[in-house]
Amino acid sequence: MKVPFNDLTWQWRHIESGVRSDFDRVFASSQFSSGSFVDAFERQIAEWLNVPHAIGVNSGTSALHLALLAANVGSGDEVLLPAHTFIGSAWGILYIGAVPVFCDVDERTGTIDIEAARQLVTPRTRAIIPVHLYGQPANMDAVASFARDHSLKVIEDAAQSIGATWNGRSTGTMGDLGCISFYPGKNLGAAGEAGLVVTSDDNYAGRLRSLRNHAQTERYIHAELGFNYRMDGLQAVVLKHKLPLLSAWTKRRSELALRYIAGLEGLPLEIPSIWHQTHCWHLFVIRTHSRNALRDALSKSGIETGLHYPVPLHRQPCLSAYVKPGATYPVADKWADEGLSLPLFDGMTDEQFDYVVKTVTAFYQ
């Protein structure tokens, strides 16, 4: 049996007829960049997230960049973020000339360790970026309390966590600004690159809408350095048709994750579980000292797996200048060196799931 790591064709089959019809409308109206289709999706997802402002952009990375600018984080300012995350979480900090300050992560969740962050605050610290890793929310009560204590802006990296909540609120909607990625492999994925910034602040929203469109305050009048970060109309159409299905897809992912937890119990593995509120299970990441051998065995059996993320930020060549002398990140290193992502996707069949559990179990037996 072949088990892909993900199968996006399954989602396409559920939206194909409606999307093709709307694509015709996009081409007929030439609303390719921003425009009415993006406006409609922004209204739709703002209502779904229960937030006043949703600003569509061309990627999750762009969303983080603009969020930092809107929050007035600038050159030389320090921004706290977890050492174990995708490098996109750090790019926006570097784009504006700010300084990324890496924090170790929580043993149970891989999300930012606030106690570690407390030791790294300086007079130059301006913001914290909690990453809701793999669909598991960071501890937002602790983040909010910490940010208040030190007068920090909170910019949520919710790239992987749409559908997850904290005390009934969607991830991405609790900080000053929240950033979401619609990369195709995400739980809500476009047919290419797209992203979103959400906020409850009218001033932030106005500036974000200007910044994404060359910082125009009116046509051909540019108030500051701007960017070409607009969302495409075609991507908005795809997302518009997928969003009503997201809750059912998340429910299926959760069912499969809970079955993994039960099916792998007793094996010499660190199995993920729900520590904080609701988890949307973007990824199901086990940890094992035998990571590479297990991955090879699964590959030989026709099962695709993923590595998220085998090189943490503090070990990235391009970020070495930002690692403080003598700094160590033992928990982040453990997650990076031992983590293995098993297949988990909306269209995964029971037969595929059972085969993965059987193969992992056989490896250890």
Side-chain angles (χ1 to χ4, degrees):
M1 180 182 291
K2 299 290 185 182
V3 182
F5 183 68
N6 199 352
D7 180 7
L8 298 180
T9 64
W10 184 88
Q11 290 187 354
W12 173 245
R13 290 193 294 273
H14 284 73
I15 64 170
E16 181 177 3
S17 59
V19 169
R20 287 189 184 278
S21 175
D22 274 352
F23 274 4
D24 288 342
R25 295 173 56 217
V26 173
F27 279 92
S29 65
S30 299
Q31 297 282 304
F32 297 112
S33 182
S34 295
S36 60
F37 295 96
V38 173
D39 293 343
F41 172 67
E42 289 176 338
R43 292 191 297 270
Q44 178 194 28
I45 196 163
E47 181 178 357
W48 194 88
L49 292 168
N50 193 28
V51 67
H53 303 288
I55 298 94
V57 293
N58 62 347
S59 74
T61 303
S62 298
L64 285 162
H65 182 195
L66 294 189
L68 286 159
L69 287 171
N72 292 315
V73 180
S75 179
D77 291 341
E78 294 179 350
V79 181
L80 301 165
L81 76 165
H84 182 60
T85 182
F86 179 59
I87 199 166
S89 301
W91 283 146
I93 301 170
L94 299 182
Y95 292 165
I96 63 173
V99 179
V101 178
F102 310 126
C103 305
D104 210 357
V105 298
D106 179 73
E107 171 71 33
R108 303 166 303 175
T109 65
T111 58
I112 193 166
D113 182 341
I114 292 299
E115 293 310 310
R118 289 187 192 279
Q119 309 306 312
L120 298 169
V121 175
T122 76
R124 294 165 56 193
T125 308
R126 293 289 179 271
I128 180 171
I129 300 179
V131 178
H132 304 305
L133 193 70
Y134 307 146
Q136 166 72 76
N139 186 338
M140 287 305 295
D141 287 346
V143 169
S145 176
F146 170 73
R148 285 193 300 270
D149 289 345
H150 299 282
S151 300
L152 304 181
K153 299 295 185 182
V154 177
I155 299 172
E156 293 178 74
D157 184 339
Q160 302 180 6
S161 65
I162 191 167
T165 60
W166 183 275
N167 290 336
R169 297 179 64 182
S170 297
T171 55
T173 68
M174 292 168 280
D176 296 281
L177 300 117
C179 302
I180 297 171
S181 169
F182 299 127
Y183 181 76
K186 296 295 193 292
N187 292 22
L188 180 64
E193 299 283 358
L196 193 77
V197 189
V198 299
T199 183
S200 297
D201 187 288
D202 295 344
N203 292 326
Y204 286 158
R207 190 170 179 214
L208 287 162
R209 291 191 173 97
S210 174
L211 285 170
R212 70 172 173 181
N213 188 25
H214 300 282
Q216 294 186 91
T217 53
E218 55 185 287
R219 191 161 178 80
Y220 299 127
I221 304 298
H222 309 270
E224 59 180 316
L225 176 66
F227 305 89
N228 183 7
Y229 282 175
R230 295 167 297 204
M231 179 183 280
D232 292 345
L234 294 173
Q235 303 305 338
V237 164
V238 172
L239 294 166
K240 166 201 162 186
H241 284 275
K242 284 189 174 184
L243 184 57
L245 304 175
L246 180 60
S247 294
W249 291 350
T250 302
K251 181 180 178 181
R252 173 59 174 167
R253 299 177 86 95
S254 297
E255 291 170 351
L256 290 169
L258 294 176
R259 286 178 60 190
Y260 263 140
I261 291 169
L264 300 175
E265 186 179 7
L267 298 179
L269 299 168
E270 292 287 338
I271 302 172
S273 57
I274 303 170
W275 287 97
H276 298 155
Q277 306 287 316
T278 65
H279 198 315
C280 71
W281 298 105
H282 172 57
L283 296 169
F284 190 90
V285 182
I286 61 174
R287 287 181 291 157
T288 171
H289 296 299
S290 307
R291 192 262 302 279
N292 293 338
L294 174 58
R295 191 181 196 213
D296 288 344
L298 293 174
S299 178
K300 290 176 182 176
S301 298
I303 299 169
E304 294 181 1
T305 57
L307 298 179
H308 302 87
Y309 301 95
V311 183
L313 299 188
H314 60 280
R315 284 162 32 192
Q316 292 289 347
C318 63
L319 298 175
S320 60
Y322 301 99
V323 180
K324 298 181 184 298
T328 60
Y329 308 88
V331 184
D333 284 330
K334 183 177 180 181
W335 276 86
D337 296 340
E338 298 181 0
L340 181 67
S341 303
L342 298 182
L344 179 67
F345 52 95
D346 323 316
M348 191 176 191
T349 67
D350 290 340
E351 290 77 16
Q352 289 172 324
F353 173 87
D354 291 340
Y355 180 61
V356 175
V357 172
K358 178 181 177 181
T359 307
V360 173
T361 302
F363 172 82
Y364 284 103
Q365 290 178 342

